[in-house]
Amino acid sequence: MLMLEAEGKALLAGSGLPIPAGAHLVSDAAGVAGLSLTFPLAAKAQVRSGGRGKAGGVRRCDGPAEAEAAVAAILGTRFGGELPSGVLLEPWLPIAREMYLSVVVDGRAGGFVALYAPEGGVEIEAGPPPLRYEFGLPRNFRAHEFRRLLETVEADRAVRERVIALTRRLLQVAAAQDCTTVEINPLIRLQDGNLVLGDAKVVRDDAAAFRHLELEAALVSERMREVEDVRRCQDASLMLVWLEGEVGLISGGAGMTMAAMDAIAAAGGAPACFLDTSGNPTPAGFGLAFELLDRNPGVRAILVSMFGGGLHTDRVARTLVGILEARGPGAKPVVLRLQGTGSEAATEILAAAGRVNHASLEEAVAEVVARTRAPEARA
Amino acid sequence: MSILLRAGARVVIFGITGRFGTFSIRDLRASGTEVVAGVVPGRGGTEVEGVPIFGSAEQAVCDTGADCALIYVPAPLALDAVLEAIDADCQLVAYPGDGLPVADAMEMRAAARARGAWLVGPNSPGLISPGKAKLGFMPSFCFRPGPVGLISRSGSLSYEASYRLSCAGVGQSTVIGIGGDPVKGVTAAEAVTMFHEDPETAAIVYLGEIGGTDEYAVADYARRLDAKPVTALLVGRTAPPGKKMGHAAALVGGYADSWAAKVEALAAAGVNVARSLDQLPIAAAESLARAGLAPAA
């Protein structure tokens, strides 16, 4: 789960990391009046989408009236489609330099890597790739190894030593709090030489929620913010991501669902969703899948493509026949492809209900794409 | 030969009295794999389906000579179970479960490597050396013995792809599901190296997806002058950026995560990249032909 800047900074501050002093979080412009603020300050939109700086989500304010206006303006602006949940007011810092520092989990390292760039800030993507120190397990971090690497990119000895100490602390938080990313961009060197975390992007590992009560609670409220369809699927152990296309795809397994999406595109169609039913291939699971696809006006035809490994496709066929019969005439066209374990029985069950079981994914995909174009798809 | 899992493997199952555990006793036996023990703390001395249960892995290994462990316990208990299997000297440990904290995956991986053991998983169906042994729950009918070493990040894709290969006469030496998580036991880089060293593997098939860096490791291998022919299929071409496609690691953040970037890197390294699932058996057969082999009838 990606935390908001203010949440991430609070987590890091709790472990003694240097965040800007005297910050306030407000959720409406009226809230600015009661605060004792020092100026100038930075008003920063609290959103999860990136690129907020370039989109006007960080504003300098020289007085209370300006701060109120900035808060109102930011709260009324969408950033990457997302309305800010609040505005963070922080002292405008006397910046001498901006660097980049992060501690992230990386598959290649089998664990953590530390990344450092002597020039950070909003243009980080445009610069050369940051220095990379791979160490894997947190306990394998060695200051002397990191130092040797830092010496190749960072000329300022004092900065090097402070960065090393800071990295050790970030790593301790990441390990204790199950964070997969702690990214500080910019890491700010103040005019007095001290370092302070200008921004913080903290991603916590959802899978570790069982050992962090506050993460569990945050996930529950994040789930409440999800669109209803996605939330209902999560509750039913289905994986749903809505896409833009017209072919409603019901599949099983993440890899095969993506393979079927790609096959639909290769046949000239476009998938309306990623919908993986492998977590709940039951009447309730398939019933919900059909309900959502039937209700979505963008879906013009439905493809059910399941390859039975452990799954018995004859049972799936019986479930589908029940659902299809209950939908009645005039419903969106449905194309079926059940292969693998139990598929001969599945074909018979479907045939008895007047349905065709396509023998291959490719044949079924061609058929469903054709059906999205046929006039009866609009019926 | 095959990699990691050989004929005669002796399997101990953790969580053997659960639904998956009991299913696996029958399923592994049907595939010719010997299930010699189960581990359930506090339930030593009992048995299930004729398999003796022990209270600890140490006891199970000592009494039965088990050398491979299959771990079916919930994610919060998984790290301790895997460490126990490794400490008991199991040389190969499969943890198929998903939803494992990445910090626990790091610990498991490091502990296995420190003892010279291999972990397969998390979030994987395990591995199978067709005709020899299976450690996991992939459907056996999809596979047949042969010269192709197959590596997959996705379970479901590995079943259907292997089935199509088997139907086309392209059998497999070992099929390994490395799993859909970012940090894992055997990685793509390690699996290709093992297949490279396996005299019974003539060509490699890699099934990848968006997100993560495994595909670049496969490209690195394929650039070796002595590399065995590599065929690949990547899924997720139509996945939008910023959305997780089921697997924890299947997410396009930057360009390097994208389908296009990975296909480009693999193709540039000389990998035969199949354009679609139905092209995969054709591409794999071409690879075998380059290695001087024809598909079986």
Side-chain angles (χ1 to χ4, degrees):
Chain A
M1 171 172 183
L2 171 59
M3 301 175 87
L4 292 169
E5 176 193 7
E7 297 165 347
K9 282 182 168 171
L11 184 79
L12 296 169
S15 296
L17 284 147
I19 67 164
H24 295 275
L25 183 63
V26 293
S27 53
D28 57 64
V32 176
L35 303 172
S36 64
L37 299 168
T38 50
F39 295 93
L41 60 74
K44 305 166 85 177
Q46 295 302 288
V47 285
R48 289 180 171 82
S49 19
R52 119 194 119 163
K54 288 181 183 171
V58 179
R59 301 177 186 216
R60 181 186 160 119
C61 311
D62 288 307
E66 235 179 277
E68 234 178 275
V71 169
I74 287 172
L75 287 173
T77 309
R78 284 185 184 275
F79 299 89
E82 182 190 352
L83 268 183
S85 65
V87 179
L88 184 64
L89 304 175
E90 281 184 344
W92 192 267
L93 299 170
I95 296 173
R97 256 184 82 188
E98 290 188 331
M99 293 86 80
Y100 171 96
L101 176 64
S102 67
V103 168
V104 298
V105 170
D106 181 291
R108 251 186 301 172
F112 282 104
V113 300
L115 304 172
Y116 176 78
E119 285 177 49
V122 290
E123 299 296 344
I124 183 72
E125 305 278 349
L131 174 84
R132 181 180 164 92
Y133 170 44
E134 289 190 13
F135 52 92
L137 285 176
R139 62 175 173 272
N140 291 340
F141 176 84
R142 294 292 178 273
H144 62 89
E145 291 175 356
F146 192 28
R147 182 178 298 117
R148 207 164 51 230
L149 293 172
L150 279 175
E151 281 165 357
T152 64
V153 298
E154 176 54 65
D156 186 326
R157 192 199 70 86
V159 168
R160 280 199 308 264
E161 293 310 309
R162 287 185 160 128
V163 164
I164 292 167
L166 206 56
T167 306
R168 163 68 77 189
R169 307 266 290 282
L170 292 176
L171 186 58
Q172 281 164 341
V173 178
Q177 302 293 336
D178 279 295
C179 304
T180 53
T181 296
V182 180
E183 182 185 74
I184 310 303
N185 186 32
L187 171 64
I188 293 172
R189 184 172 162 267
L190 300 175
Q191 275 148 13
D192 65 8
N194 284 316
L195 300 188
V196 56
L197 315 186
D199 194 357
K201 177 182 165 187
V202 176
V203 180
R204 295 187 74 186
D205 183 357
D206 296 354
F210 65 83
R211 55 194 178 206
H212 300 284
L213 291 179
E214 78 294 353
L215 177 56
E216 181 86 62
L219 286 174
V220 169
S221 43
E222 185 180 55
R223 195 176 270 209
M224 298 312 287
R225 286 196 301 271
E226 285 282 5
V227 294
E228 194 196 348
D229 295 350
V230 173
R231 187 169 74 235
R232 288 180 67 199
C233 283
Q234 285 175 346
D235 290 343
S237 302
L238 307 185
M239 281 290 307
L240 170 67
V241 178
W242 282 122
L243 307 168
E244 307 279 294
E246 69 288 343
V247 177
L249 170 64
I250 299 174
S251 185
M256 268 315 294
T257 304
M258 282 190 271
M261 283 163 51
D262 294 352
I264 289 166
C273 58
F274 169 100
L275 179 46
D276 174 3
T277 59
S278 61
N280 187 8
T282 64
F286 286 113
L288 176 59
F290 270 94
E291 183 200 323
L292 297 179
L293 295 183
D294 277 337
R295 223 181 38 210
N296 183 332
V299 174
R300 299 187 60 196
I302 295 171
L303 168 64
V304 182
S305 172
M306 306 293 287
F307 183 83
L311 181 74
H312 292 256
T313 57
D314 49 331
R315 293 182 204 160
V316 175
R318 268 189 285 274
T319 297
L320 293 178
V321 166
I323 291 169
L324 295 175
E325 281 172 359
R327 285 165 87 237
K332 294 172 184 177
V334 175
V335 176
L336 303 169
R337 175 267 178 167
L338 304 177
Q339 224 182 332
T341 304
S343 64
E344 283 176 19
T347 300
E348 284 172 26
I349 292 162
L350 293 176
R355 297 276 175 178
V356 177
N357 186 14
H358 289 273
S360 75
L361 175 64
E362 290 71 22
E363 189 187 303
V365 162
E367 172 71 14
V368 78
V369 170
R371 298 297 290 270
T372 60
R373 302 209 175 112
E376 70 265 35
R378 289 205 179 275
Chain B
M1 259 170 59
S2 64
I3 64 164
L4 291 166
L5 188 61
R6 284 171 290 276
R10 297 174 68 77
V11 175
V12 52
I13 299 179
F14 284 56
I16 196 166
T17 49
R19 195 168 61 88
F20 262 101
T22 312
F23 162 81
S24 273
I25 299 173
R26 295 179 201 170
D27 183 49
L28 293 192
R29 279 177 175 163
S31 74
T33 308
E34 249 193 293
V35 180
V36 298
V39 172
V40 183
R43 305 249 324 248
T46 58
E47 59 169 58
V48 53
E49 307 257 333
V51 178
I53 297 177
F54 298 85
S56 72
E58 189 185 13
Q59 199 62 50
V61 167
C62 179
D63 284 20
T64 67
D67 52 14
C68 300
L70 179 55
I71 314 265
Y72 290 126
V73 303
L77 306 176
L79 173 59
D80 289 319
V82 167
L83 294 180
E84 182 177 349
I86 292 166
D87 285 348
D89 264 340
C90 291
Q91 288 302 294
L92 180 62
V93 180
Y95 178 66
D98 64 358
L100 182 77
V102 70
D104 295 8
M106 283 177 215
E107 290 288 348
M108 288 180 185
R109 176 181 162 78
R113 295 317 303 131
R115 293 282 289 241
W118 289 104
L119 169 73
V120 174
N123 198 0
S124 130
L127 72 167
I128 182 169
S129 297
K132 293 173 178 161
K134 173 161 97 167
L135 190 69
F137 56 81
M138 50 252 292
S140 303
F141 74 88
C142 296
F143 310 95
R144 66 184 276 180
V148 162
L150 189 145
I151 303 162
S152 182
R153 285 173 65 188
S154 157
S156 61
L157 184 60
S158 73
Y159 311 157
E160 176 145 5
S162 297
Y163 182 69
R164 290 182 184 226
L165 290 172
S166 296
C167 290
V170 179
Q172 307 92 38
S173 54
T174 298
V175 173
I176 178 167
I178 58 173
D181 280 10
V183 174
K184 51 197 167 238
V186 176
T187 62
E190 288 157 347
V192 287
T193 305
M194 291 179 205
F195 280 128
H196 181 79
E197 285 158 8
D198 174 28
E200 282 186 9
T201 297
I204 295 169
V205 170
Y206 175 75
L207 306 177
E209 56 197 35
I210 51 169
T213 55
D214 283 310
E215 289 68 23
Y216 296 103
V218 174
D220 286 343
Y221 168 74
R223 267 193 299 272
R224 281 171 57 165
L225 293 176
D226 62 344
K228 293 179 180 178
V230 182
T231 304
L233 173 68
L234 299 195
V235 298
R237 184 179 198 170
T238 45
K243 299 275 187 184
K244 201 181 283 181
M245 294 286 123
H247 290 148
L251 184 141
V252 176
Y255 178 68
D257 294 324
S258 69
W259 183 91
K262 291 180 170 193
V263 166
E264 189 184 300
L266 287 166
V271 173
N272 190 358
V273 183
R275 304 303 292 178
S276 58
L277 193 51
D278 57 328
Q279 294 298 307
L280 182 70
I282 300 164
E286 284 169 10
S287 288
L288 280 179
R290 261 190 285 156
L293 292 172

